[in-house]
Amino acid sequence: MNTTNQTNLQDREAAWAKQRRVVEQSLARRHAAERRFRGLGLSGVIFGLAMVALLFVTILAKGLPAFWQATIPVEIYFDPQIIEVEQRPGLLPGESAAQLREREMAWQTQLTMSNWNRLIENALLEFVPEAADSRAELRRLVTSGERFRLRDMVVADPSLIGKRVRLDLLADANIDVWLKGNIDRDLPDNQQQLSAKLRQWADDLYARDVIRMSFSTALFANTDSRSSLASAGLAGALAGSLYMMLIVILLAVPVGVASAIYLQEFAPRNKFTDLIEVNINNLAAVPSIIFGLLGAAVFINWFKMPLSAPIVGGLVLSLMTLPTVIIATRSALQAIPPSIRQAALGIGASKMQTIFHHVLPLALPGILTGAIIGVAQAIGETAPLLLIGMSAFVAAVPATPFDQSTALPVQIYLWQGNELRNFFEARTSAAIIVLLSVMITLNAFAIWLRKRFEKRW
Amino acid sequence: MENNLQRSLAAAEGTVGVSAAAKIKMTARDARVFYGEKEALHGVNLDIRENEVLAFIGPSGCGKSTFLRCLNRMNDTIDGCRVTGKIELDGEDIYDRSLDVVLLRARVGMVFQKPNPFPKSIYDNIAYGPKLHGLASTRAELDEVVERSLIRAGLWDEVKDRLDQPGTGLSGGQQQRLCIARAVAVSPEVILMDEPCSALDPIATAKVEQLITELAENFTIVIVTHNMQQAARVSNRTAFFHLGDLVEVDDTTHIFTSPKDKRTEDYITGRFG
C-alpha cells in the first residue's frame, strides 16, 4: 500500500516534470512568434512614418522657397509725359449710360496704349544707370505682367498721374530661378535663358539688396498666368475649390446623413433595400473618373450647365462623396448601444423622437468625422474635374459658382506640366502645401468637433 | 382563424394563469411569439391583476422576457418578430391597429436589465418622459414631477444636490433606481421590469426590491427574475415559464411550497435551470 502510494507519487511528479518541459519548449517558440509579429508590425509602422516624413520633407524643401519670390522695390514715377491721356470721362449733360461706357472704354484703350514699360525702365535705371542704352534688356528683369498692374492702378485712381509711388515689382521668373540657384551657372551662354548682361545685373542687384526675396503675396492674390509666369497665383483655384467644398457640404452632407438615417432606422429590410445597400457600398468603390464622365454626360450635356464651373464640379464631387457619408453615418448610428433606444422607446418616445433626441446626438461625432473626411477627400480629387473642363486655363477669380474656374488639385496638375520646369517645380510644391494645409485644417476641425461633442455627452 | 381563437379562449377557462378574482389589469389569451419561423412562446394565457407584483421565473430561454416585452410591444422593434393571439390592457387589444404604441408605452412603462440612463443630467433623465407627453407644462410642474419621481424611487436624498450632473455618473444601483424613477415619472399604470437587479450588488438589489414593494401600492408590477429568492421576497404571485410554455402561475407562497407541476418543483428545488 505504502509503496504503491510512493510509486504513484513518483509517477505523478515525473509526469508534472515532463509536462513542464513540454510547455517550456513550446513557450520559447510562442514567445519568438510573438516577438516576430510585433517586430514586423513595428517595422511596418516605422516604414510608413519614414515614407510620410520623406514626402513632407521633399514637398516642404521644394515648396517653401516658392513662398518667397524675387521682388524689386522701386519708386515708380507716373510721368504725365509718358502716360498721354485725357481726363477720365465724366457724365456729360444729355448723355446716356451706354454712351458714357463707350467713352470710358476708349479712354481705357488709350491708357493701355501708353508706354508703361518706360515707367518701369525709368525706375530701374536709378539702380542700373549704365543700362541707359539697353532698356529692352533691362526691362526683362521685371515680369511682363507688372505693366498691366501699373495700368490698373491708374484706371482705379487717375490722380496717380504725376505722382511717385513706392512699389514692389515682381522679378521675372527666370531671374527668380537664377538667384535661387536653380539654373546651372556653368552652362555656356547659348544655353542660358538669360543674357550675360541680365545675369550680371541680377547678381549685382541681389548683392546690393535691390532685388530681395520677399513673401509672395502674388501666390495667393493672383490668378494663374501664362504670359507673366512670376505672377501666376492660386487665387482662382482656391476660390474654385472653396465653392466646390461649400457645394459638397451643402449637398452631400445633409442628403447623405438623411439617407443613412432612413436606411438604417426606418427602411424595411427586404430585397430592395438590400440591393440599395449593396449599390451604395459598390458606389464607394467606383473610380472617381467615372463620376466625371457622369457629370459631363448629365450635368453638362443634358442639363446644359456651364463647362468648367464649380457648380458642376461640386455636384460631381457631391455624388462621389455621398456613399462615403452614408456609410460613415450608418456605422455611427449602428454603434449607438440599443439600450439607449430601448430606454427612449420604453417611456413612450416615438421612433422619430428616439432617433432625433437620443441616437443622433450620440452619433454626431462619428457622423461629423465621416462627413469631413468625405469633404476632404472630395477637395483633393482631380480626375473627375478634368472631364468637366476644369483643367481649362482660367485667369479670373470666379465671382459665383457658375463662373469658369479651376481647382487646387487641377492647378497642381497644370503647373506640374508647365515648360518652365525649374520655376514651376517649386510653385507646384507650394500649391501642394496650400492644398495639404486646407486638408489638415479640415481634419483638425473634424477632431475638434469630435472632442467637443464627445465632452458634451 | 377567428374560430380558433374563440376555441382556445374557451379552452383557456380554468387553465393556468386565468384569474377569476380581483380586478384584472392585463390579460393574454393564446399569446404566441415567433422569431422568424421559430415559435418562441407557445400560447400563453395569463391575467395580471391590478396592483399586484407578478414575478416571472424560469430557466434561460424559457420565454419569460419575450412575453414581458409583448406587454408593451417592445418586441415590435425586433426584426422578424411576430406576435399572435390577444393581449389586452383594461379590455383594449394592445395589438389593435387603432391603438397607438406610444400611448401604450406611456401606460405600460419598462425598466431594463442593464441600467440605461440617458447620457444627460439626472434632471433631464426624469423630465424627458413628462416633457414628451406634455404632462408638465411649466418649469415648476416639471420640477415637482422630477422631485416626486425621485422621492418615489428613493433616490431624492442621494441626488438632490446634483440634479444637473450626468445620470451616467451614478453608481449601478443608483442608475437603476434612476431608470425606475424615469419610468415612474410618466405615471404609467403598469411597470414591466426585466431582471432589474441582475447587474447590481446585493445592497443595491435590496434597495430596488424594497422600492418594488413600495411601488406596488400605486402600480401594477410585472418582474422577470432569475433569482427565486427575489421572486419569493417581492411578488404576490409567481408565474413559471419553461421552454416557451407558461407552466404554472399561483400565489408565490404556493409556488414555492406546493407547486402543482413536476417541472416547477424540479426548477425551484434546483434540479435544473
Side-chain angles (χ1 to χ4, degrees):
Chain A
M1 189 67 189
N2 222 342
T3 33
T4 2
N5 265 348
Q6 203 70 34
T7 2
N8 272 350
L9 204 63
Q10 279 171 358
D11 282 356
R12 242 162 58 200
E13 272 175 0
W16 285 341
K18 191 175 163 217
Q19 188 182 347
R20 197 193 149 102
R21 261 198 322 281
V22 171
V23 172
E24 268 171 357
Q25 276 164 9
S26 79
L27 221 50
R29 209 174 55 242
R30 283 187 269 171
H31 286 322
E34 189 178 322
R35 266 197 304 277
R36 230 174 11 250
F37 184 77
R38 288 215 306 223
L40 278 175
L42 192 64
S43 48
V45 170
I46 289 172
F47 180 74
L49 281 180
M51 284 298 140
V52 170
L54 190 70
L55 177 82
F56 271 86
V57 167
T58 38
I59 288 175
L60 288 179
K62 268 192 194 160
L64 282 183
F67 286 99
W68 283 267
Q69 201 175 346
T71 46
I72 314 172
V74 291
E75 196 177 70
I76 295 282
Y77 174 48
F78 288 95
D79 192 340
Q81 296 194 324
I82 297 174
I83 312 170
E84 290 162 10
V85 74
E86 302 149 16
Q87 276 262 296
R88 185 180 193 143
L91 193 62
L92 294 175
E95 194 188 35
S96 75
Q99 281 168 321
L100 176 67
R101 213 156 39 237
E102 210 166 288
R103 288 200 299 131
E104 169 94 28
M105 291 300 289
W107 178 76
Q108 281 201 24
T109 314
Q110 195 191 5
L111 202 63
T112 306
M113 301 299 277
S114 305
N115 195 349
W116 298 101
N117 280 331
R118 211 166 170 83
L119 299 184
I120 295 173
E121 289 154 18
N122 286 346
L124 289 176
L125 275 175
E126 254 182 66
F127 304 108
V128 201
E130 70 270 25
D133 51 349
S134 45
R135 283 169 161 267
E137 196 71 26
L138 182 66
R139 192 166 70 219
R140 291 189 58 200
L141 276 175
V142 174
T143 192
S144 60
E146 293 298 56
R147 61 175 190 265
F148 301 113
R149 189 169 141 212
L150 296 185
R151 181 203 58 191
D152 292 345
M153 284 171 71
V154 174
V155 170
D157 179 13
S159 72
L160 280 176
I161 297 171
K163 286 186 188 157
R164 291 176 175 276
V165 178
R166 293 214 62 88
L167 266 186
D168 286 347
L169 295 179
L170 281 176
D172 187 76
N174 275 314
I175 301 285
D176 182 70
V177 177
W178 172 261
L179 291 176
K180 280 178 180 160
N182 291 337
I183 291 179
D184 188 355
R185 291 185 171 240
D186 299 328
L187 284 177
D189 251 9
N190 58 0
Q191 286 181 25
Q192 287 284 5
Q193 289 277 339
L194 298 166
S195 69
K197 231 188 241 171
L198 265 176
R199 282 177 276 150
Q200 180 57 45
W201 287 335
D203 283 337
D204 186 39
L205 290 174
Y206 191 49
R208 282 160 54 197
D209 202 28
V210 173
I211 301 182
R212 41 179 95 135
M213 296 294 166
S214 49
F215 186 76
S216 171
T217 45
L219 186 61
F220 299 98
N222 291 4
T223 56
D224 196 11
S225 171
R226 282 189 182 168
S227 53
S228 172
L229 300 178
S231 356
L234 290 168
L238 258 173
S241 275
L242 287 180
Y243 276 133
M244 290 197 292
M245 207 169 92
L246 206 69
I247 292 165
V248 172
I249 290 174
L250 289 180
L251 264 178
V253 175
V255 173
V257 170
S259 334
I261 292 173
Y262 176 74
L263 283 174
Q264 186 66 31
E265 307 284 349
F266 291 101
R269 295 264 173 278
N270 55 31
K271 286 258 160 44
F272 181 62
T273 45
D274 281 352
L275 187 77
I276 290 178
E277 185 165 350
V278 169
N279 272 306
I280 288 171
N281 289 337
N282 284 341
L283 222 50
V286 167
S288 56
I289 198 154
I290 311 281
F291 284 99
L293 278 173
L294 176 95
V298 175
F299 297 127
I300 291 174
N301 279 347
W302 200 12
F303 293 155
K304 304 288 178 221
M305 283 180 155
L307 266 170
S308 314
I311 179 77
V312 181
L315 287 172
V316 168
L317 294 180
S318 297
L319 288 181
M320 204 195 77
T321 315
L322 263 179
T324 316
V325 175
I326 293 178
I327 292 171
T329 305
R330 288 190 71 172
S331 61
L333 289 173
Q334 231 159 11
I336 303 306
S339 63
I340 293 295
R341 291 163 208 268
Q342 286 178 350
L345 290 172
I347 47 173
S350 69
K351 194 155 187 177
M352 180 112 171
Q353 287 168 330
T354 303
I355 290 162
F356 281 89
H357 295 169
H358 300 286
V359 179
L360 217 51
L362 286 176
L364 208 56
I367 294 174
L368 286 174
T369 312
I372 290 176
I373 285 173
V375 173
Q377 197 186 346
I379 66 160
E381 198 54 68
T382 325
L385 302 184
L386 299 182
L387 291 185
I388 54 162
M390 293 199 80
S391 59
F393 171 75
V394 182
V397 179
T400 70
F402 295 90
D403 294 337
Q404 294 201 321
S405 156
T406 184
L408 272 178
V410 180
Q411 190 65 68
I412 291 169
Y413 167 77
L414 290 174
W415 278 358
Q416 178 67 23
N418 193 292
E419 304 81 40
L420 191 59
R421 293 285 324 125
N422 25 17
F423 181 70
F424 272 101
E425 220 169 54
R427 221 42 169 195
T428 309
S429 295
I432 293 174
I433 293 172
V434 172
L435 179 61
L436 284 179
S437 320
V438 173
M439 286 190 172
I440 290 170
T441 313
L442 266 183
N443 282 326
F445 184 58
I447 292 168
W448 178 78
L449 275 179
R450 203 191 171 103
K451 285 270 172 297
R452 201 197 121 99
F453 282 104
E454 268 172 359
K455 252 184 230 157
R456 251 180 71 185
W457 293 100
Chain B
M1 193 63 207
E2 190 61 32
N3 256 339
N4 265 344
L5 191 64
Q6 295 286 330
R7 221 176 301 132
S8 60
L9 283 178
E13 294 300 326
T15 59
V16 288
V18 178
S19 178
K23 193 163 180 294
I24 306 302
K25 191 71 195 166
M26 296 187 84
T27 59
R29 288 294 176 270
D30 196 33
R32 290 168 194 273
V33 179
F34 300 85
Y35 291 118
E37 288 305 302
K38 196 177 157 289
E39 189 179 281
L41 203 63
H42 317 300
V44 169
N45 298 296
L46 182 64
D47 289 338
I48 299 164
R49 299 173 189 166
E50 201 160 82
N51 285 42
E52 75 169 342
V53 177
L54 175 62
F56 292 175
I57 60 168
S60 295
C62 66
K64 55 191 189 303
S65 286
T66 298
F67 180 65
L68 187 78
R69 285 199 302 268
C70 289
L71 297 177
N72 70 343
R73 291 183 55 178
M74 282 303 276
N75 279 337
D76 289 12
T77 60
I78 299 168
D79 275 339
C81 180
R82 197 156 52 84
V83 180
T84 67
K86 205 178 186 92
I87 298 176
E88 291 179 345
L89 171 63
D90 286 340
E92 276 178 89
D93 185 355
I94 64 169
Y95 281 87
D96 193 80
R97 276 179 176 278
S98 64
L99 184 124
D100 195 322
V101 69
V102 167
L103 176 64
L104 171 70
R105 289 183 189 145
R107 293 176 65 191
V108 182
M110 189 154 190
V111 176
F112 296 86
Q113 185 169 0
K114 224 182 110 220
N116 56 355
F118 298 127
K120 299 183 176 195
S121 70
I122 293 171
Y123 185 94
D124 287 339
N125 259 286
I126 310 289
Y128 181 68
K131 260 197 272 186
L132 205 60
H133 300 300
L135 299 178
S137 45
T138 63
R139 177 80 192 188
E141 275 177 43
L142 208 56
D143 285 347
E144 201 197 313
V145 171
V146 170
E147 181 174 345
R148 203 174 52 227
S149 307
L150 283 170
I151 288 173
R152 273 184 162 171
L155 199 59
W156 176 250
D157 289 332
E158 290 161 65
V159 301
K160 64 180 175 210
D161 301 324
R162 45 176 176 148
L163 291 175
D164 54 341
Q165 310 240 320
T168 40
L170 298 173
S171 75
Q174 287 173 325
Q175 283 189 23
Q176 193 61 297
R177 281 183 283 146
L178 179 65
C179 293
I180 294 173
R182 184 176 65 189
V184 166
V186 189
S187 304
E189 296 158 38
V190 182
I191 300 176
L192 310 176
M193 298 186 174
D194 190 356
E195 297 182 37
C197 300
S198 65
L200 305 184
D201 67 55
I203 294 170
T205 302
K207 280 190 182 156
V208 171
E209 284 178 5
Q210 195 201 338
L211 179 57
I212 292 170
T213 317
E214 287 165 15
L215 289 175
E217 286 174 23
N218 298 302
F219 303 95
T220 304
I221 294 174
V222 185
I223 175 172
V224 167
T225 177
H226 263 301
N227 181 332
M228 279 177 282
Q229 285 80 31
Q230 184 171 66
R233 282 194 296 265
V234 301
S235 68
N236 310 113
R237 291 199 304 151
T238 298
F240 172 67
F241 286 76
H242 186 238
L243 298 175
D245 285 311
L246 172 61
V247 174
E248 186 171 355
V249 52
D250 207 341
D251 288 347
T252 301
T253 41
H254 284 158
I255 287 275
F256 284 103
T257 51
S258 49
K260 296 192 192 76
D261 197 284
K262 180 80 171 60
R263 287 170 292 177
T264 317
E265 194 184 340
D266 284 349
Y267 182 69
I268 61 174
T269 52
R271 232 159 283 167
F272 69 83

